[in-house]
Amino acid sequence: MAFFRAACIQLRSGKTVSENIAVAETLIRSAAGKGASYLQTPEMSNVLVRSREELLDRIADEDGDPFLARMRALAAELEVFIHIGSIAVLSDNGKVANRAFVIEPAGAILARYDKIHMFDVDLPNGESWRESATYEPGTQTVIADLFGIKVGMAVCYDIRFPAIFRTQARAGAEVLTAPAAFTRQTGRAHWHVLQRARAIENGAFVISAAQGGTHEDGRETFGHSLVVDPWGEILAELDHDEPGYVLAEIDTAMAVKARQRIPAIANERDFVCATADGLKEMTA
């Protein structure tokens, strides 16, 4: 069991990487000054641009990405963990990785995670997104060890796929994460309930920093960065879509207690699904 102060850093990332770095750094310094030792930024912290051609003009590979380099230096200077919710980085195959990083206080990269689920959807208001046209999906879930605490990594649309979070909880994760750039439309409908559901069903904290507001490329994101406790209560929320941050105290004893009260993970059983074609084996 452990205790730490977490910060969700809410951004409104635009097309200019240097400007996004400056905003993120200012907010991180302020939150760290108030005792945060784990600071999480949203999905696509380095740049948010819809055009594939514009995106490719603005990003680099991991070794050359200025946002990642600055966050590594900042983590070392402030002696904190910085969890980059994700940045766009060039992959070896010509596609782009939507990649999250956890940076330790010495400035080294502790863990990487590539977003698994691509947001390929057509929404009722006419919005259409095809992330798979640009991004290469990841293939494995990742758990980082911070302060001796297991922290599961996920990104945005992953929140709609409970198996990732259940797999992490089964492996001992007490803190789950889903930093995001949720659309305003889907955020209004589902953001809070999805975050709370993942926390409740796994008896774990969920920490999710978000993009918010109207961006340079015209997209609208929901904001409302929040921290949910293992009983499903919202501990802290930035109740708007403006850049800023919110702080919450994380005590992993709460996860232990929640899992003792409702031992859903321990009580899981394998089962089969009866179909017209016969029985097909299923796993929880």
Side-chain angles (χ1 to χ4, degrees):
M1 293 180 287
F3 178 90
F4 65 95
R5 178 169 291 178
C8 288
I9 307 297
Q10 186 159 292
L11 301 177
R12 186 179 294 158
S13 295
K15 297 181 179 183
T16 305
V17 176
S18 59
E19 293 177 2
N20 299 330
I21 291 172
V23 173
E25 179 170 347
T26 297
L27 293 172
I28 286 170
R29 286 186 180 279
S30 179
K34 294 185 178 179
S37 54
Y38 164 86
L39 304 101
Q40 182 192 114
T41 70
E43 180 182 28
M44 290 294 135
S45 290
N46 63 337
V47 63
L48 204 61
V49 55
R50 185 162 184 166
S51 164
R52 187 177 190 277
E53 291 70 26
E54 283 189 86
L55 178 68
L56 293 174
D57 283 343
R58 287 167 167 78
I59 63 174
D61 61 16
E62 185 176 307
D63 290 339
D65 183 82
F67 191 98
L68 176 59
R70 186 63 200 133
M71 293 303 107
R72 292 184 65 179
L74 194 58
E77 177 192 338
L78 300 176
E79 298 183 333
V80 296
F81 287 95
I82 295 179
H83 179 168
I84 301 173
S86 82
I87 57 175
V89 294
L90 290 173
S91 296
D92 295 336
N93 62 3
K95 277 205 168 186
V96 180
N98 187 342
R99 183 169 296 162
F101 297 86
V102 174
I103 303 165
E104 62 185 11
I109 296 171
L110 179 64
R112 297 170 175 83
Y113 166 74
D114 286 358
K115 182 179 179 181
I116 292 173
H117 296 98
M118 299 290 96
F119 192 55
D120 290 355
V121 302
D122 298 301
L123 298 174
N125 68 348
E127 283 185 78
S128 182
W129 300 93
R130 292 292 180 274
E131 285 187 344
S132 62
T134 300
Y135 298 96
E136 183 74 19
T139 59
Q140 62 181 8
T141 188
V142 176
I143 296 174
D145 190 295
L146 288 70
F147 319 101
I149 301 166
K150 291 184 177 181
V151 177
M153 300 176 70
V155 175
C156 198
Y157 192 44
D158 287 334
I159 196 72
R160 295 183 182 272
F161 300 86
I164 288 180
F165 302 91
R166 187 54 129 214
T167 298
Q168 293 173 348
R170 284 175 175 170
E174 299 152 311
V175 177
L176 308 173
T177 65
F182 246 61
T183 69
R184 182 170 293 169
Q185 180 184 181
T186 58
R188 284 173 174 166
H190 301 146
W191 174 253
H192 292 87
V193 70
L194 286 168
Q195 305 292 326
R196 295 184 68 200
R198 299 295 86 83
I200 292 166
E201 66 199 10
N202 294 298
F205 288 92
V206 175
I207 303 174
S208 298
Q211 295 279 358
T214 301
H215 299 260
E216 282 185 87
D217 68 354
R219 82 181 70 201
E220 297 180 333
T221 55
F222 185 60
H224 292 260
S225 299
L226 51 73
V227 180
V228 184
D229 77 15
W231 202 244
E233 298 295 328
I234 295 175
L235 289 181
E237 177 180 0
L238 204 60
D239 192 19
H240 54 70
D241 63 9
E242 296 293 327
Y245 63 87
V246 66
L247 301 166
E249 310 297 337
I250 306 299
D251 181 357
T252 60
M254 294 181 69
V256 174
K257 290 178 181 177
R259 291 173 180 179
Q260 289 172 341
R261 291 171 182 170
I262 308 290
I265 298 172
N267 290 345
E268 278 186 331
R269 294 173 57 85
D270 290 336
F271 57 89
V272 295
C273 178
T275 72
D277 299 326
L279 295 179
K280 295 183 177 180
E281 186 175 353
M282 305 286 287
T283 57

